[in-house]
Amino acid sequence: MTATTTGPRPPEEIEVADREDARSILRYGRARRPRAAGPAVGRAARHLVRRPGLVLAGLVLLLVAAWATAPTLFASGDPITGVPADRLLPPSAAHLLGTDHLGRDVWTRVVHGASLSLRTTTLAVVVGLVVGSALGLLAGFLRGWVDDVVGRLVDVLLAVPSILLSLAIITALGTGPTKIAVAVGIGAIATFARVMRAEVLRTSTSVYVEAARASGSRWWTVLGRHVLPNSSGPVLALVALEFGGAVLAVSALSFLGYGTPPPTPEWGSLISGGRDYLATAWWLTTLPGLVIVAVVLSANRIARALETTGEDQ
Amino acid sequence: MGRYILRRAAQGLFVLWAAFTIAFFVLYLLPSDPAALAAGAGGEVADVDPALLDDLRARYGLDRPVLVQYVDALGGAVRLDFGPSYQSGAPAASLVAAAVPQTLLLTGVALALAVVGGVVLAVASVLPRSRALRQVLSALPPLGVALPTFFIGLVLLQWLSFRAGLLPAIGNVGWQSLVLPAVTLAIPPGAQLAQVLSRSLRGTLGEPYVETARAKGAGRLRVQLGHALRNAAIPAFTMLGVMVGALLGGAVVTETVFSRVGLGRLTVQSVNAQDVPVVLAVVVLSALVFVVTTLVVDLLYPLLDPRIERASTPRTVAA
Amino acid sequence: MTSRTPGRRAVPLPSLAVLASGALLLGACSSGSGTGPDEGASASSDPVAGGDLRFAITVDSRCIDPQQVGNNDAIAVARQTVASLTAQDPDSGEIVPWLAESWEVSDDASSYTFHLRDDATYADGTPVDAESVKTNFDAIVALGATASLGSQYLVGYEGTTVTDAQTLTVDFAAPSAQFLQASSTFSLGLLSPASADLTPEERCAGDFVGSGPFSVQSYTQDQEIVLAKVPGYDWSSDADEHTGEAYLDTVTFPVIPESSVRSGSLASGQIDATAAIAAVDQPQFDGNGFWLEQRANPGVTYQLFPKESSPLASDEAVRVAISKGIDRQQIVDTVLTERSEPATAVLSHSTPLFEDLGDALAYDPDGAEQLLDDAGWVVGDDGIREKDGQRLSTTVTFWQDPAPLELVQQQLRQIGVDLQLQHVEIAESTAIKESGDFDFDYYNLTRSDPDVLRLIFSANARNINDRAAEEVDDLLDRSAAATDPAERGQLVTEASRLLVEHGHAIPVYELSTTIAASDRVHGLTFEGSSRLDFYGAWVQQS
């Protein structure tokens, strides 16, 4: 679904200042960046202040997570039952985001929908992360025929269009947030596998790890202590990126009719359900849509920050 | 070189077979009854005599054991014969073949737009001397990636077709009907390309050989476009395969919004109707496209950057 | 990898982007009313021959053979290509002559003799004679399950006897009072004898030759269907005022799956008419250069069908309480159009022999709660009733638009019933219905004959309730044999009342079809089964 572009620099361009640099090169493939002075907290604070976009992204995601955990704090109404006489009212003081075709308050439904949407999205990313990383780890670490087999598996997953895969899975297993999550997550496996494999290849071929292996450490120690921690940077960045992608994928599935059944609110079905009213009651689709855009943008911003943090080590 | 191609071709065949098999068994698990579906012809199923339904099932070969059906389907697939569509009885392969040219046209134009737009946007976001302008232009790609495709399409329709009357909303005839769908489809992958490319451009702008070119006195434009683009093109080229996949997936939504004939709509409708032969045909076709695309991309890689050896091809470059 | 210059501050990109997108989107989506082509005030009311009418449909179900179609959009197309033996007057429901000038029905309704007119031909010139009619009926039976509606009408078909070129007799093994009306439907519309030799797939693709005012000119799957008028057509039914050829040269049916795109296309003049405008968009086409025409579909209304072999639906108190707990008027007012009607009987009011059941379907939440209290259902902590440890929670399985049922769900919660909505695709719903794994079914059946009541509810027919035979089934079966309309009407009404009283039928609202068209379209109307009739339609040439 997405692509990242980290890669090794040719050796003649790396300057080795001292032993720490050498160690860093062996470990991460690059020399260290000069660290600013001061305590870690101060450094972090200064780092963030220079990046208000990142702060905003973090706040957005925190807010949405708060909606998911304690929706009644933010919206006290009933997301399921509405007053039919109040249908299709535009945004106002009484109804921040207007009402829908059955008179339900859209703000309440968006807030209460956060829980289901985030759960679905998180599950999808977890499925992709766990299965994909496991596959990538195996392929990159063990190499040889395992690498070939995993490579073919990933190819097959990529060969079938993800929409088709999702549709077929949902049709076979039935609708429902869990199945939607699985269907979307399966589409993300290939990307995670590829990134993890590339990272594992890079770290496990480093001299440090070869040395550790040669000195007799068990392979799982090598894996757990050396390979995994150093491979995780880009993968974490991918998690944030795929999070945004999963939100969009769920809404696309809702558009095609494979969303959460009514009356449960969920962002994807909110904006795809509201599209028939685009000309007459635009707030039904647009405002939940803006929420999705904000979440995806924030996730992507955090992904970028995670990538560059990994590079700055 | 020849051995490499043979090995990749063999792997490609395996992928095709695996995709077909997985799709077949997943679809077999589907809970519906294709015969009842065919009888209903898209509407409510009337009270059909069960004996007549059994006849229909026998006609489609649905009463045989699953492995027999699978082997038969596989044999047919090799000959590109997927049997009759459950809905209309017309050969599934011809239904798919009829839908391909339109989708090809749409995704082709969208790909061109995405590449051109992505490159232009990426260059535009690093080129200007005004930082404010650069910042604004850099904000566009993330937006393009964050908006749901169907939303973009519906909003464009409202603006440009229903209100302004500039472009048609429906139909497959004429270049005008291609504009809105192609633009809609091109936005997410174009934005992604712009993101990747601009990041690469910003990175390579500090590379030593670019400094060298600058020191030689080449104009700023030439430096950036000439050297940086070529080098930054590699990771972007990796994205090509991903973009094609994204386009085919996005075509599903775009074709529905713009009422266009194509593979995407055919896929959705066939999955909805559980028209297994058509779905299988689509799976085989898209797997074929994927295999061929990746093979072509892999073979072209060394031409772009001689530093990359074929043996350790794209796998070592994180995709 | 990125080189950073010291002191550089990043503009809050996400916020910028959100604001930008907000501005873009809000700008696009301010509420606009329909901007249809402003028609000049005085339009000539004399029909003009020629021109093309663009009528949007929502889906292409890949088959336009009139004898095989079951989907409303395909029916809209297929109906124009065939003539039937008889026609049904849309206002009176009376069966009037079409290809058959007159007919006789045996006393026990098991034998029908038709006398055909002598001047009708198929579009390829072959005459519509008794032999060709026999070919048609035999072929429909041979099609089997793919001619689902037609084979239903021909249940018990023994054969057709051809007496002479213009006379034929159709015989059934058992009384079939519905057959006369059935002969007016598109499912029993007549195709040329040569068409019977084609494969079902070829017929689905439109290769057939029909007997109606239009014939298939082109059929591009998923895109559009084009019908062209049949020159020399001169055998219209007695229900049509127009005679001779159709006015329109062609009728084009573009396929537009998205509701908002259909509305926008009609408003901007890219299509001329459609029957698929969402309720919320309809007000903008009421005047302003457009017109609306609505007709309730005859037949069984949209209702909940309890499967009485499932645990909760077997309890009559529960069923009747559910029926009383539905506020039908509120559903109509909230999610349907202005001219829609709540159900007032099991059949809709445009069905022949319809009678209003009066108070039997009134909204009576107190009565419902009383019934449930008396049956021992006690309201639990969450508002849902319980009895012997079992919650009063049941499921309705359906594929149609969920909005009406969402309201029903809300209304039933107030009397302590938890109705879960299982919204699935059509394909899945047929599978579920067949497996029998559901509590309540939900659909309507359009048929302009009360026999549809017997067909669905009789324990000796489809037996939708999955129950043993009762008094009501005797009434229903007798209605199949009654040839006297008054007697038949009485039986049907009495049966309907019993069905509602015992909760076997829980009608909700009447499905109706609404034509929305621009002012340049005239004469487009409904025929007896609320199907579209393009025969008398004409367009103003600009």
Side-chain angles (χ1 to χ4, degrees):
Chain A
M1 291 188 196
T2 51
T4 57
T5 50
T6 50
R9 289 166 61 192
E12 61 273 12
E13 293 164 25
I14 301 174
E15 291 168 359
V16 186
D18 58 9
R19 205 180 197 160
E20 284 303 315
D21 253 355
R23 198 171 288 151
S24 170
I25 288 171
L26 288 174
R27 269 197 165 170
Y28 310 115
R30 57 178 77 79
R32 294 166 305 140
R33 305 275 169 158
R35 289 257 207 205
V41 176
R43 271 210 313 273
R46 255 174 292 152
H47 187 86
L48 286 178
V49 156
R50 270 185 268 141
R51 292 164 180 76
L54 185 56
V55 175
L56 190 63
L59 284 178
V60 167
L61 290 180
L62 275 176
L63 179 66
V64 166
W67 285 354
T69 36
T72 42
L73 273 182
F74 297 89
S76 53
D78 185 351
I80 312 248
T81 315
V83 181
D86 288 342
R87 54 194 289 267
L88 299 177
L89 295 175
S92 62
H95 296 282
L96 267 176
L97 299 182
T99 59
D100 70 3
H101 60 290
L102 292 182
R104 298 178 290 211
D105 180 38
V106 178
W107 164 253
T108 315
R109 281 174 72 75
V110 168
V111 169
H112 285 258
S115 161
L116 191 57
S117 305
L118 287 186
R119 257 188 291 144
T120 312
T121 320
T122 314
L123 182 59
V125 174
V126 164
V127 165
L129 175 68
V130 168
V131 178
S133 304
L135 284 177
L137 193 63
L138 282 176
F141 196 65
L142 298 175
R143 274 166 275 164
W145 64 268
V146 177
D147 190 10
D148 274 337
V149 168
V150 169
R152 299 293 77 72
L153 212 62
V154 165
D155 277 345
V156 173
L157 273 180
L158 287 172
V160 181
S162 63
I163 281 271
L164 187 60
L165 204 52
S166 308
L167 291 182
I169 292 174
I170 293 179
T171 321
L173 300 179
T175 34
T178 329
K179 290 143 194 165
I180 297 176
V182 167
V184 171
I186 287 186
I189 289 178
T191 326
F192 276 104
R194 275 203 167 163
V195 171
M196 185 56 134
R197 179 185 177 280
E199 282 305 299
V200 167
L201 266 184
R202 185 179 61 81
T203 55
S204 62
T205 48
S206 69
V207 175
Y208 192 93
V209 172
E210 296 281 7
R213 265 174 152 164
S215 70
S217 302
R218 302 264 184 243
W219 65 265
W220 54 84
T221 321
V222 178
L223 199 67
R225 202 180 291 170
H226 303 297
V227 177
L228 262 183
N230 298 330
S231 315
S232 52
V235 177
L236 283 179
L238 191 62
V239 166
L241 210 55
E242 286 296 326
F243 188 83
V247 172
L248 291 174
V250 170
S251 83
L253 284 175
S254 290
F255 171 79
L256 293 172
Y258 290 85
T260 319
T264 323
E266 192 269 320
W267 291 343
S269 43
L270 279 181
I271 75 172
S272 78
R275 74 185 191 271
D276 288 341
Y277 301 88
L278 197 56
T280 46
W282 56 268
W283 54 91
L284 286 187
T285 302
T286 315
L287 298 177
L290 283 182
V291 172
I292 287 192
V293 168
V295 169
V296 175
L297 280 177
S298 307
N300 288 359
R301 182 71 186 84
I302 296 205
R304 279 216 324 274
L306 282 174
E307 267 184 342
T308 41
T309 323
E311 289 166 8
D312 278 347
Q313 271 183 353
Chain B
M1 173 72 176
R3 260 194 68 195
Y4 178 71
I5 294 186
L6 269 180
R7 212 179 82 219
R8 291 304 308 273
Q11 289 175 347
L13 276 179
F14 172 82
V15 169
L16 277 177
W17 170 82
F20 176 84
T21 307
I22 292 178
F24 180 88
F25 284 103
V26 167
L27 290 169
Y28 187 78
L29 288 175
L30 292 179
S32 85
D33 178 13
L37 224 62
E44 279 293 336
V45 175
D47 187 26
V48 186
D49 185 3
L52 293 178
L53 278 180
D54 283 338
D55 278 344
L56 197 54
R57 277 190 208 102
R59 224 194 282 173
Y60 283 125
L62 295 172
D63 51 350
R64 300 170 298 166
V66 59
L67 280 180
V68 173
Q69 289 187 44
Y70 169 70
V71 171
D72 202 29
L74 187 61
V78 169
R79 286 168 294 146
L80 292 181
D81 170 20
F82 296 92
S85 149
Y86 289 158
Q87 282 187 291
S88 69
S94 59
L95 274 177
V96 172
V100 166
Q102 286 294 338
T103 303
L104 218 54
L105 184 61
L106 179 63
T107 46
V109 174
L111 184 63
L113 283 177
V115 169
V116 168
V119 169
V120 167
L121 195 55
V123 171
S125 69
V126 299
L127 198 60
R129 295 187 185 268
S130 149
R131 197 205 288 164
L133 190 57
R134 284 207 309 268
Q135 302 257 345
V136 166
L137 289 173
S138 307
L140 291 182
L143 189 62
V145 176
L147 282 170
T149 311
F150 71 86
F151 190 80
I152 300 174
L154 287 175
V155 168
L156 282 179
L157 267 183
Q158 284 290 329
W159 262 350
L160 295 176
S161 183
F162 299 147
R163 287 172 194 246
L166 288 174
L167 292 163
I170 54 185
N172 284 50
V173 183
W175 65 269
Q176 295 100 323
S177 68
L178 202 51
V179 173
L180 284 181
V183 168
T184 306
L185 190 54
I187 289 180
Q192 266 186 326
L193 181 64
Q195 270 183 313
V196 167
L197 206 53
S198 60
R199 209 180 309 150
S200 269
L201 278 178
R202 280 194 279 265
T204 52
L205 281 178
E207 295 280 356
Y209 56 87
V210 176
E211 300 284 353
T212 319
R214 266 208 192 113
K216 282 186 189 167
R220 187 183 162 134
L221 188 69
R222 192 170 151 223
V223 164
Q224 286 178 314
L225 292 185
H227 297 270
L229 257 186
R230 204 173 307 137
N231 190 248
I234 295 170
F237 193 61
T238 320
M239 273 204 67
L240 199 67
V242 177
M243 277 172 72
V244 171
L247 281 172
L248 285 178
V252 170
V253 168
T254 312
E255 283 169 7
T256 308
V257 170
F258 291 94
S259 318
R260 291 187 66 85
V261 174
L263 219 46
R265 251 179 81 197
L266 181 66
T267 309
V268 176
Q269 215 214 353
S270 306
V271 174
N272 280 349
Q274 298 183 8
D275 197 338
V276 175
V278 179
V279 176
L280 281 178
V282 173
V283 167
V284 168
L285 178 65
S286 54
L288 197 60
V289 167
F290 171 79
V291 164
V292 169
T293 315
T294 41
L295 188 60
V296 167
V297 168
D298 280 349
L299 288 178
L300 286 181
Y301 243 106
L303 294 177
L304 272 188
D305 186 353
R307 289 190 296 177
I308 299 176
E309 289 176 23
R310 194 167 303 114
S312 62
T313 343
R315 304 265 183 247
T316 51
V317 178
Chain C
M1 268 223 181
T2 50
S3 52
R4 253 165 237 280
T5 47
R8 170 178 160 155
R9 297 187 65 228
V11 168
L13 296 174
S15 53
L16 192 70
V18 170
L19 285 175
S21 67
L24 281 171
L25 303 168
L26 291 176
C29 308
S30 54
S31 58
S33 53
T35 49
D38 247 340
E39 286 296 296
S42 57
S44 154
S45 54
D46 286 336
V48 175
D52 173 50
L53 194 158
R54 292 175 65 79
F55 185 92
I57 56 178
T58 61
V59 70
D60 175 17
S61 44
R62 310 210 181 282
C63 190
I64 52 172
D65 174 8
Q67 294 179 354
Q68 294 185 60
V69 293
N71 161 270
N72 283 335
D73 287 323
I75 292 172
V77 178
R79 170 78 271 191
Q80 323 306 325
T81 60
V82 285
S84 307
L85 286 175
T86 59
Q88 190 167 24
D89 187 285
D91 298 316
S92 64
E94 200 194 325
I95 305 296
V96 299
W98 196 349
L99 289 175
E101 289 179 322
S102 62
W103 50 83
E104 290 100 39
V105 184
S106 70
D107 286 335
D108 64 348
S110 69
S111 180
Y112 292 75
T113 307
F114 294 94
H115 303 276
L116 305 172
R117 57 190 296 168
D118 55 8
D119 58 342
T121 68
Y122 294 102
D124 60 3
T126 50
V128 177
D129 58 5
E131 193 62 47
S132 69
V133 176
K134 173 177 161 63
T135 312
N136 266 281
F137 288 161
D138 291 344
I140 291 174
V141 172
L143 274 178
T146 50
S148 53
L149 288 172
S151 56
Q152 208 175 289
Y153 303 150
L154 290 174
V155 163
Y157 175 76
E158 279 183 334
T160 310
T161 327
V162 174
T163 333
D164 64 49
Q166 250 60 51
T167 320
L168 62 128
T169 308
V170 183
D171 292 301
F172 291 89
S176 187
Q178 54 83 37
F179 183 69
L180 189 61
Q181 191 273 339
S183 67
S184 74
T185 63
F186 56 89
S187 309
L188 298 184
L190 299 180
L191 302 176
S192 77
S195 306
D197 294 332
L198 299 172
T199 64
E201 300 80 66
E202 286 166 326
R203 290 168 51 162
C204 271
D207 290 341
F208 57 86
V209 174
S211 49
F214 292 93
S215 63
V216 179
Q217 183 182 70
S218 73
Y219 176 19
T220 321
Q221 297 232 345
D222 276 343
Q223 191 177 312
E224 67 180 18
I225 308 162
V226 182
L227 298 181
K229 86 171 162 199
V230 172
Y233 178 85
D234 199 15
W235 33 97
S236 58
S237 74
D238 282 14
D240 277 309
E241 284 168 10
H242 177 49
T243 54
E245 288 177 6
Y247 293 119
L248 295 165
D249 282 337
T250 53
V251 185
T252 306
F253 296 88
V255 180
I256 307 182
E258 273 295 296
S259 164
S260 60
V261 179
R262 288 192 298 273
S263 307
S265 299
L266 183 59
S268 58
Q270 296 184 49
I271 58 171
D272 301 308
T274 179
I277 297 288
V280 69
D281 289 330
Q282 280 183 18
Q284 76 186 97
F285 300 110
D286 199 358
N288 301 334
F290 298 91
W291 53 267
L292 296 173
E293 186 182 327
Q294 180 166 357
R295 186 167 190 272
N297 283 38
V300 166
T301 62
Y302 259 114
Q303 47 194 277
L304 295 169
F305 298 94
K307 179 160 169 292
E308 295 173 26
S309 51
S310 72
L312 285 171
S314 58
D315 187 341
E316 183 173 311
V318 169
R319 296 197 305 267
V320 180
I322 286 180
S323 186
K324 286 184 185 294
I326 297 178
D327 185 355
R328 296 163 176 86
Q329 190 62 49
Q330 186 190 57
I331 294 176
V332 166
D333 292 337
T334 313
V335 298
L336 299 175
T337 65
E338 227 175 53
R339 297 155 224 235
S340 299
E341 301 279 342
T344 47
V346 184
L347 297 171
S348 84
H349 73 270
S350 54
T351 320
L353 305 179
F354 159 84
E355 273 214 39
D356 192 330
L357 290 182
D359 286 338
L361 293 173
Y363 178 45
D364 184 13
D366 296 325
E369 297 202 54
Q370 188 69 45
L371 267 176
L372 290 173
D373 288 334
D374 289 343
W377 290 95
V378 180
V379 181
D381 294 331
D382 58 352
I384 303 301
R385 292 172 181 265
E386 291 172 351
K387 178 163 112 172
D388 301 333
Q390 191 192 22
R391 273 178 99 239
L392 189 42
S393 172
T394 183
T395 312
V396 57
T397 309
F398 63 102
W399 57 268
Q400 297 88 342
D401 174 30
L405 285 178
E406 288 184 278
L407 256 188
V408 169
Q409 184 183 49
Q410 223 172 273
Q411 293 164 352
L412 289 180
R413 183 171 288 127
Q414 286 167 359
I415 61 168
V417 178
D418 176 28
L419 182 69
Q420 308 252 329
L421 303 184
Q422 187 184 22
H423 186 205
V424 294
E425 288 292 323
I426 295 189
E428 213 181 325
S429 83
T430 50
I432 292 176
K433 307 303 163 60
E434 252 184 75
S435 73
D437 188 20
F438 63 95
D439 298 325
F440 282 85
D441 200 348
Y442 171 79
Y443 60 90
N444 89 307
L445 200 57
T446 301
R447 174 89 194 271
S448 193
D449 186 273
D451 188 60
V452 67
L453 196 69
R454 177 199 66 85
L455 182 71
I456 294 183
F457 286 104
S458 169
N460 307 318
R462 190 190 291 196
N463 192 12
I464 190 70
N465 300 123
D466 199 21
R467 57 179 172 81
E470 291 174 9
E471 177 194 350
V472 65
D473 302 300
D474 179 51
L475 291 172
L476 288 171
D477 295 341
R478 274 162 54 197
S479 76
T483 42
D484 171 31
E487 186 197 341
R488 200 159 172 235
Q490 230 176 347
L491 288 167
V492 165
T493 309
E494 193 49 39
S496 303
R497 188 175 297 281
L498 282 174
L499 286 174
V500 170
E501 268 171 31
H502 293 286
H504 299 312
I506 307 176
V508 182
Y509 69 94
E510 297 184 346
L511 175 69
S512 58
T513 312
T514 308
I515 304 176
S518 84
D519 275 346
R520 71 181 276 262
V521 176
H522 304 261
L524 176 59
T525 184
F526 297 105
E527 44 87 274
S529 304
S530 287
R531 307 296 180 193
L532 293 158
D533 189 1
F534 288 84
Y535 175 50
W538 56 278
V539 290
Q540 245 161 267
Q541 314 287 2
S542 35

